[in-house]
């Protein structure tokens, strides 16, 4: 493969992406790459998915619980969606499919990686422009390396280099015949290593952790409270005595 041109901090594409990730999560660049990648997926699988949940403006990188909306693969059976399905109704309707819906960020990053890494192919030709996946059907330079051509948001055909990966340990699998977002430990897990996971937990799930600074703050608070109480008692007593002298109590 050819070497990819070194990025410079004044590079226009880098500045545009920085603006997208820091200020405007709905910028034209991310939207373009996410949309093109979603269209490519429909051409390859026949199942239409959108560009995915947007980052918003300003960008919000909290992506929610790992389920069909946030990238978990799913099985579409009629009007229902499962994380894993072993029933007999799959395939009875034309809309039945096995698919996944990445977020707009994931779709865009996938397209960006395809674009920038694909341009590093040894036989890459910048003259192969495209606006849809079918424009790249006649591209042959990817065949030299046994790769598959794809159209990118940059409007050029490249050899696809990016892949999705599930952020779950192999020991975890989708619960059978349950909606997405439910998981169970696989019976085939050999248990040779601890399980790990990178789930997108709900903001309602979690604990608050506080630093233990020792007994001193508690003692100071107790003493301050005792002193304050003593002053209040003395002030109340003196006020009562004064009011009695004035025959006001």
């Amino acid at each position: 493969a050819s070497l990819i041109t070194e990025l410079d901090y004044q590079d226009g594409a880098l500045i545009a992406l920085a603006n997208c990730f820091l200020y405007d999560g709905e910028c034209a660049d991310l939207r373009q790459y996410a949309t093109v990648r979603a269209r490519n997926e429909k051409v390859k699988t026949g199942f239409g998915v959108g560009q995915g949940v947007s980052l918003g403006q300003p960008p919000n990188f909290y992506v929610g619980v790992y389920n069909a909306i946030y990238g978990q693969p799913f099985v579409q059976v009629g009007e229902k969606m499962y994380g894993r399905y072993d029933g007999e109704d799959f395939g009875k309707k034309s809309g039945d499919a096995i698919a996944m819906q990445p977020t707009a960020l994931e779709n865009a990053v996938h397209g960006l990686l395809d674009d920038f890494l694909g341009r590093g192919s040894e036989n890459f030709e910048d003259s192969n422009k495209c606006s849809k996946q079918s424009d790249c059907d006649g591209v042959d330079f990817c065949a030299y390396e046994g790769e598959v051509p794809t159209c990118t948001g940059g409007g050029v055909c490249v050899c696809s280099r990016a892949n999705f990966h599930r952020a779950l340990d192999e020991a975890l699998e989708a619960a059978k015949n349950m909606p997405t977002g439910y998981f169970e430990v696989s019976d085939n897990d050999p248990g040779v290593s601890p399980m790990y996971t990178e789930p997108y937990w709900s903001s309602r799930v979690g604990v608050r952790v506080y630093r233990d600074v020792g007994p001193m703050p508690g003692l100071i608070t107790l003493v301050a409270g005792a002193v304050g109480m003593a002053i209040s008692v003395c002030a109340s007593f003196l006020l009562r005595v004064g009011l009695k002298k004035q025959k006001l109590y």
Side-chain angles (χ1 to χ4, degrees):
S2 303
L3 293 177
I4 300 174
T5 305
E6 182 179 356
L7 289 176
D8 184 86
Y9 72 93
Q10 293 182 333
D11 182 83
L14 188 61
I15 293 174
L17 287 178
N19 177 71
C20 294
F21 291 131
L22 296 176
Y23 303 106
D24 183 6
E26 298 181 357
C27 67
D29 289 322
L30 289 185
R31 205 163 50 241
Q32 174 70 9
Y33 277 95
T35 301
V36 170
R37 201 249 152 217
R39 286 205 306 260
N40 292 349
E41 192 66 19
K42 184 176 181 179
V43 171
K44 294 176 183 177
T45 65
F47 188 82
V49 296
Q51 69 171 11
V53 179
S54 169
L55 276 177
Q57 188 181 28
N60 179 5
F61 289 93
Y62 174 74
V63 290
V65 178
Y66 187 53
N67 54 28
I69 299 176
Y70 296 105
Q72 181 188 351
F74 60 87
V75 183
Q76 184 76 38
V77 182
E79 299 298 324
K80 296 183 178 180
M81 187 181 295
Y82 302 91
R84 184 160 58 115
Y85 181 75
D86 68 349
E88 299 179 355
D89 293 332
F90 181 78
K92 292 183 178 180
K93 294 188 176 181
S94 59
D96 293 354
I98 299 174
M100 65 179 294
Q101 172 63 76
T103 64
L105 173 63
E106 293 163 341
N107 263 328
V109 170
H110 189 289
L112 285 165
L113 289 174
D114 268 346
D115 194 343
F116 291 122
L117 297 179
R119 292 172 188 261
S121 300
E122 185 175 355
N123 298 293
F124 170 72
E125 299 173 8
D126 191 45
S127 59
N128 291 287
K129 305 298 182 181
C130 65
S131 59
K132 56 185 182 299
Q133 181 63 28
S134 59
D135 293 339
C136 300
D137 290 346
V139 173
D140 57 1
F141 62 83
C142 292
Y144 295 111
E145 301 177 13
E147 297 176 315
V148 179
T150 188
C151 182
T152 72
V156 64
C157 296
V158 299
C159 302
S160 181
R161 296 291 181 83
N163 293 283
F164 287 114
H165 123 90
R166 291 192 314 148
L168 288 174
D169 190 280
E170 293 180 353
L172 297 174
E173 60 185 16
K176 188 183 300 182
N177 300 327
M178 291 287 289
T180 59
Y182 291 84
F183 303 91
E184 58 189 15
V185 178
S186 172
D187 294 333
N188 299 319
D189 176 38
V192 296
S193 63
M195 287 188 295
Y196 76 92
T197 180
E198 302 172 40
Y200 301 141
W201 293 109
S202 165
S203 58
R204 299 186 299 273
V205 178
V207 296
R208 290 186 178 183
V209 179
Y210 300 92
R211 179 176 295 177
D212 183 4
V213 294
M216 188 57 65
L219 291 174
I220 293 175
T221 303
L222 178 62
V223 171
V227 171
M229 183 181 68
I231 293 174
S232 298
V233 171
C234 292
S236 298
F237 177 77
L238 293 174
L239 178 62
R240 181 179 179 182
V241 171
L243 291 175
K244 281 186 174 181
K245 287 182 178 181
Q246 298 295 327
K247 298 183 179 182
L248 297 174
Y249 183 81

